[in-house]
């Protein structure tokens, strides 16, 4: 059984925290990518659609400034729940349309 290795509650906690950290990193990369697209072309249809859908404008704008000025990335408060809900809605919409 695959779940047998997670018999201890401490192991489950460690795994949960590791998964959360991986998600934060992945969403952070998505934020950097969308901000980079916005720097290249602020009127790009994908930027205009996805940036406000998945992120708060302040977050995107802050990351855009950091990329533009070659600054180290600061800690940006990423709303994981907003990102996941938007991703879920997008997945449902694309499934309905297909």
């Amino acid at each position: 059984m695959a779940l047998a290795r997670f018999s201890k509650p401490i192991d489950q906690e460690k795994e949960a925290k590791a998964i959360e950290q991986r998600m934060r990193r992945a969403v952070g990369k998505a934020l950097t990518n969308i901000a980079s697209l916005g720097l290249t072309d602020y009127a790009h249809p994908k930027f205009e659609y996805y940036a406000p859908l998945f992120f708060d404008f302040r977050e995107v704008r802050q990351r855009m400034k950091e990329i533009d000025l070659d600054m180290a990335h600061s800690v940006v408060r990423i709303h994981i729940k907003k990102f996941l809900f938007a991703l879920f809605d997008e997945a449902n919409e694309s499934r309905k349309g297909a």
Side-chain angles (χ1 to χ4, degrees), residues 27-95:
V27 174
K29 297 255 186 212
L31 174 63
T32 300
N33 288 337
I34 202 77
S36 180
L37 179 62
L39 277 175
T40 305
D41 182 8
Y42 199 74
H44 193 284
K46 288 187 180 184
F47 175 77
E48 288 181 343
Y49 181 75
Y50 290 113
L53 182 67
F54 288 107
F55 304 103
D56 290 335
F57 182 73
R58 276 184 272 138
E59 296 169 354
V60 177
R61 189 68 191 129
Q62 181 180 350
R63 186 58 53 95
M64 287 170 71
K65 286 179 184 177
E66 292 168 354
I67 293 170
D68 192 33
L69 299 174
D70 286 331
M71 296 170 48
H73 296 313
S74 64
V75 178
V76 176
R77 174 99 172 110
I78 299 173
H79 301 280
I80 301 290
K81 284 184 182 179
K82 178 181 179 176
F83 184 89
L84 290 176
F85 282 128
L87 184 63
F88 180 76
D89 287 343
E90 278 296 302
N92 277 339
E93 288 299 317
S94 68
R95 192 181 75 185

